[in-house]
Amino acid sequence: VLNRRAVDDAIKAALALDCAVRPRSVFARKNYFYPDLPKGYQISQYDQPLAVDGRLEFAHGGRPLRVGIIRVHLEEDAGKSLHEGFADSSYRTYLDFNRSGVPLIEIVTHPDLRSPAEAAEFFRRLRDILVAIGVSDGNMEEGSLRCDANVSVRPIGDPAFGVKTELKNLNSFRHVQR
């Protein structure tokens, strides 16, 4: 059953980010294997999202920055892989399924950030907005807000992006910047 509050919160986030809310969005199965996704698929609006084409503008280092928002969509959260905190963590991974199936809002940006400092500042600004509009409590230590950072390194002046690497579930501004 669709969670009405999740939809309302996603619409609030989309409007706060100046996105166009689409009159129709569709949930579908996104099939992939991951140990913390026991059913082998995730329900997501990835292909036909709730909202598109937004932006977040702010000043950083004395110059204006505009980060384009590709889409805001809803999906269900997966479980959580735990790699530390247990006596046998050096050779075992534990799985926590308590958040499996819980709705989350995913906000996807264009590759407009050019430095670690810009990325951290963007994440701070985004968190401030989501907390101010009541969509999130912003508690990153408890997983209420996480960042999956896609990083691509390229030489200065080279127009082509380097290989994209995704860093999953970063939970602090410091981790995003590092």
Side-chain angles (χ1 to χ4, degrees):
V1 174
L2 184 58
N3 182 316
R4 182 69 209 190
R5 180 167 176 211
V7 174
D8 290 345
D9 284 350
I11 291 170
K12 282 185 204 175
L15 294 174
L17 296 169
D18 201 28
C19 292
V21 177
R22 298 168 53 149
R24 181 174 187 267
S25 58
V26 175
F27 286 94
R29 286 183 179 190
K30 187 166 71 172
N31 295 288
Y32 63 96
F33 171 77
Y34 206 72
D36 59 15
L37 190 66
K39 63 186 180 182
Y41 65 87
Q42 179 183 43
I43 302 297
S44 175
Q45 292 181 326
Y46 182 84
D47 288 331
Q48 296 187 45
L50 179 77
V52 295
D53 299 328
R55 68 181 179 277
L56 176 56
E57 296 176 348
F58 58 97
H60 179 74
R63 63 181 185 85
L65 268 179
R66 181 184 189 279
V67 178
I69 306 296
I70 296 171
R71 67 180 172 272
V72 174
H73 69 266
L74 287 163
E75 63 185 28
E76 64 179 337
D77 208 343
K80 180 178 180 181
S81 297
L82 304 171
H83 304 287
E84 53 189 37
F86 301 96
D88 54 357
S89 293
S90 63
Y91 57 91
R92 286 208 168 127
T93 296
Y94 289 83
L95 300 173
D96 177 353
F97 295 110
N98 285 312
R99 68 185 193 195
S100 292
V102 173
L104 63 81
I105 300 167
E106 184 164 289
I107 299 167
V108 181
T109 69
H110 284 283
D112 294 333
L113 299 162
R114 295 291 178 258
S115 73
E118 286 180 8
E121 183 62 22
F122 168 79
F123 195 38
R124 276 188 200 90
R125 302 283 181 133
L126 180 62
R127 179 190 178 274
D128 289 348
I129 289 169
L130 298 175
V131 170
I133 64 174
V135 167
S136 174
D137 65 9
N139 189 328
M140 294 184 287
E141 289 179 3
E142 292 180 4
S144 299
L145 183 66
R146 305 184 301 266
C147 176
D148 291 353
N150 289 292
V151 178
S152 172
V153 178
R154 65 179 169 176
I156 293 174
D158 191 340
F161 287 108
V163 174
K164 181 172 70 171
T165 301
E166 185 174 31
L167 305 172
K168 303 282 285 177
N169 295 315
L170 302 174
N171 66 350
S172 76
F173 304 123
R174 186 173 57 88
H175 286 132
V176 169
Q177 186 159 347
R178 288 178 65 212

